[in-house]
Amino acid sequence: VQLQASGGGTVQPGGSLTLSCAASRRIFSSYQMGWFRQAPEKERELVAAVTWKGTTTYSDSVKGRFTISRDNAKNTVSLQMNSLKPDDTAVYYCAADPTWTRILKHTPAHWGQGTQVTVSS
């Protein structure tokens, strides 16, 4: 499984960005997907994840502001980020694994390249 993330950039506090991740294989529809982020000198954080059935989970820090969604027909997963804060600044990674537990344990088998999100005035 190859993952290609896009959509990062620089935005002012309160702004919005949408990250997208395209998967290369048709089995995407049976994979669990997640968005992680890592800021300098901070541990990697699971931001949001979605099962192949569409069940979602979010970190407390982004609940109510971020929305993860997937389109199994297009092999894509997106992260809509609203009301962005400077603390959201990080490199964001999409990841995939057949097993939900591995997503939740931050050990998915497949990672995309990171995309930088910077929230600054």
Side-chain angles (χ1 to χ4, degrees), residues 3-24:
L3 304 170
Q4 182 72 36
S6 61
T10 299
V11 63
Q12 291 186 343
S16 298
L17 278 176
T18 300
L19 305 182
S20 294
C21 178
S24 63

Side-chain angles (χ1 to χ4, degrees), residues 38-44:
Q38 188 159 24
E41 301 182 346
K42 291 187 178 180
E43 292 187 358
R44 184 169 59 196

Side-chain angles (χ1 to χ4, degrees), residues 5-112:
S6 61
T10 299
V11 63
Q12 291 186 343
S16 298
L17 278 176
T18 300
L19 305 182
S20 294
C21 178
S24 63
R25 294 179 63 175
R26 293 177 60 187
I27 61 174
F28 169 84
S29 61
S30 64
Y31 272 53
Q32 329 306 326
M33 303 296 298
W35 283 99
F36 295 79
R37 68 185 180 187
Q38 188 159 24
E41 301 182 346
K42 291 187 178 180
E43 292 187 358
R44 184 169 59 196
E45 176 185 16
L46 174 60
V47 175
V50 58
T51 67
W52 69 275
K53 289 184 176 180
T55 301
T56 58
T57 188
Y58 297 91
S59 69
D60 288 343
S61 61
V62 306
K63 277 181 183 176
R65 300 188 298 122
F66 290 12
T67 302
I68 189 170
S69 61
R70 66 188 296 160
D71 185 334
N72 289 340
K74 296 182 178 179
N75 294 349
T76 59
V77 60
S78 298
L79 184 69
Q80 174 68 43
M81 305 185 294
N82 298 326
S83 302
L84 283 161
K85 306 174 181 179
D87 283 350
D88 295 318
T89 296
V91 178
Y92 285 70
Y93 301 88
C94 66
D97 198 278
T99 307
W100 184 238
T101 300
R102 289 180 63 91
I103 294 285
L104 298 181
K105 291 185 176 181
H106 299 199
T107 57
H110 308 285
W111 292 87

